[in-house]
Amino acid sequence: MTDDFALPDDELVSAYLDGAVDDVERARVESSPELLARAGVLGAARDALATARPLPDPALRDQHIASALATLGAAATISLTDRRARRTHRQMAVLSAAAAIIALLGVLAVVVNRNDRESLSSTAGRAASATTAADSKADVNTPSAAEAATTAAAAGSGDFAYATTTIAAAASTPPAVTTRASDLGALDASTAPAALRAARDLSPAPPPQCAAPVGTHFVGTATYVGSPVLAFVTDPDASEARGVLVDPANCTVVADLPLA
Amino acid sequence: MLRAHYDQVYAVCFRLVGNAADAADATQEALIAIVRGLPRFDGRSRLNTWIYRIATNAALDELRRRGRRPMLDRYDADDRVDSGATQPSGEGAVDDRLVVDAALKRLPVEFRVAVVLRDLGDLEYADIATIVGVPPGTVRSRIARGRALLAGMLAPPGTTTLPPDVQASDHD
């Protein structure tokens, strides 16, 4: 777009209107009838903008303020709910993994009873693969699913039967994870911006291992293209909304994504 | 505090996005960001400047989001008459506001932001420079160019010739 007006003088005249000129510049404007006339024209445009002020609907004002204040209470509630949900999620993940392993161990026991030692070694290989798959589904902060399975299996035959039933029932119930949990899940270049934008208002306790990049705050953990990351987003007063993903192992930036 | 700054936040958002519906969304986003960001406000800038920065960013975010919506969403009844948002002095003032609204929409965004923050927000050049992230000299230039374009668009017919691309374009 072009704006072919007398730009040098317009800048001087406009600044004169704002009182943002030195004595020399002021004298130049005030000694020139043309510049003073131009000041009148630009001043009229300034005044039109300043006086024709859009006024909000009072009901809308009240609604907006109430909604904004409600987020304070909601944020505190979400923070507590988030912790509970994450704890429940971890428990469910461990129980689900344990249930899968116990079921496989049960199959293994049956196979051992029916077959010779060569059949047992091939079945154990399949169980190890299933254990690895179950571990990868668990939260990064949970104890090893194999450890949990061992603990569950060591509970005794009577308890074992009860535990199996309980674990099976728990495994069939979906974990109660809220969409506002600070575990942002598995992200990639296409899904990360939306997830980080949605998490922008979260403010869980910062991670101990890495400081927030300048101008950002911590919003949660995630995996990015399969690797665990810490997620940071720019503060509300930043000129540009960005998400920064950091490798927790060495605190290096893995991705720096625009969120707009 | 929210009530004290609400009208200014809304006015800035409305002037930047150009219609009541998007202004309402941007204002709500700005208020939420203000409430949540206030504990982290470190006082390096004035509170007023900080609030206007949040309002400006919310409005610009809304403009970017609108840029991805279908064209139909850009034209609604609120673009012509803003219900409940009339000046108390009567029809003439409403007409003036609508004319100013239309003229502002045709300004390039960078000029619009500078002019709105100066003439509506009454911010100093240095504060606007902080908000927008450009030097004060650039702010001075953008304000001047924005006012010159506005003056041309608000002038009575036949008194000012505008460049052809300003007459034909919409700069949202």
Side-chain angles (χ1 to χ4, degrees):
Chain A
M1 175 194 170
T2 63
D3 45 341
D4 293 329
F5 296 97
L7 291 177
D9 286 342
D10 273 352
E11 187 170 324
L12 170 64
V13 169
S14 175
Y16 169 79
L17 290 172
D18 295 331
V21 293
D22 57 30
D23 292 342
V24 172
E25 291 172 321
R26 182 178 301 107
R28 185 179 160 214
V29 173
E30 292 177 350
S31 63
S32 166
E34 291 80 16
L35 293 182
L36 284 175
R38 187 61 176 165
V41 171
L42 298 186
R46 176 196 61 181
D47 294 342
L49 180 56
T51 56
R53 184 178 289 260
L55 294 177
D57 180 348
L60 187 66
R61 178 193 299 123
D62 292 342
Q63 174 191 327
H64 281 168
I65 291 174
S67 296
L69 293 176
T71 62
L72 280 178
T77 302
I78 287 168
S79 177
L80 182 59
T81 304
D82 171 53
R83 292 197 193 101
R84 289 175 181 157
R86 279 188 288 155
R87 188 163 53 237
T88 303
H89 177 57
R90 277 200 299 271
Q91 292 169 348
M92 291 301 176
V94 169
L95 292 174
S96 299
I101 292 168
I102 290 169
L104 284 170
L105 289 174
V107 170
L108 181 64
V110 171
V111 170
V112 167
N113 285 333
R114 290 183 180 178
N115 298 315
D116 58 17
R117 288 182 181 278
E118 288 178 350
S119 299
L120 175 62
S121 60
S122 64
T123 305
R126 287 197 295 276
S129 300
T131 303
T132 304
D135 273 340
S136 69
K137 290 178 186 173
D139 185 285
V140 65
N141 293 321
T142 62
S144 158
E147 293 172 9
T150 303
T151 303
S157 60
D159 290 339
F160 178 82
Y162 172 76
T164 304
T165 304
T166 305
I167 290 168
S172 67
T173 304
V177 177
T178 70
T179 58
R180 300 300 298 276
S182 62
D183 180 358
L184 304 180
L187 306 177
D188 57 33
S190 62
T191 60
L196 292 170
R197 198 161 47 239
R200 200 173 179 199
D201 295 326
L202 297 176
S203 56
Q209 64 268 49
C210 296
V214 174
T216 70
H217 62 278
F218 177 64
V219 293
T221 58
T223 60
Y224 185 71
V225 197
S227 298
V229 291
L230 304 173
F232 301 86
V233 295
T234 49
D235 294 329
D237 57 352
S239 58
E240 184 183 5
R242 302 194 68 82
V244 182
L245 302 177
V246 172
D247 184 342
N250 52 27
C251 297
T252 57
V253 173
V254 172
D256 186 341
L257 308 165
L259 301 187
Chain B
M1 191 273 288
L2 287 182
R3 286 194 181 278
H5 289 90
Y6 180 89
D7 285 2
Q8 294 100 302
V9 171
Y10 178 84
V12 166
C13 289
F14 185 96
R15 284 280 181 244
L16 292 181
V17 301
N19 70 80
D22 290 342
D25 289 345
T27 302
Q28 180 72 90
E29 291 294 327
L31 289 185
I32 292 173
I34 290 168
V35 164
R36 291 188 167 176
L38 201 54
R40 288 192 293 271
F41 175 63
D42 56 11
R44 280 181 297 171
S45 61
R46 291 183 301 143
L47 180 63
N48 211 36
T49 304
W50 180 76
I51 288 174
Y52 275 118
R53 172 188 278 179
I54 291 176
T56 302
N57 288 338
L60 294 179
D61 284 350
E62 188 62 34
L63 278 176
R64 292 187 198 103
R65 276 194 290 270
R66 188 169 70 185
R68 289 194 285 272
R69 288 186 218 154
M71 286 293 291
L72 285 174
D73 288 352
R74 299 178 64 175
Y75 302 98
D76 55 43
D78 286 341
D79 285 340
R80 295 192 172 273
V81 178
D82 196 17
S83 59
T86 56
Q87 296 280 359
S89 55
E91 289 183 0
V94 173
D95 289 342
D96 289 344
R97 188 177 66 75
L98 295 176
V99 169
V100 172
D101 291 348
L104 265 177
K105 281 185 184 180
R106 298 172 67 190
L107 287 189
V109 170
E110 62 270 23
F111 295 175
R112 193 188 315 167
V113 170
V115 167
V116 166
L117 289 179
R118 174 60 205 163
D119 293 337
L120 207 61
D122 202 25
L123 297 179
E124 300 296 331
Y125 287 9
D127 292 333
I128 298 172
T130 301
I131 290 172
V132 179
V134 299
T138 304
V139 171
R140 170 172 156 147
S141 170
R142 289 181 181 180
I143 290 172
R145 292 163 75 183
R147 282 173 175 164
L149 285 170
L150 269 180
M153 286 188 274
L154 296 176
T159 59
T160 305
T161 301
L162 291 172
D165 54 352
V166 173
Q167 294 175 17
S169 64
D170 182 333
H171 292 283
D172 286 341

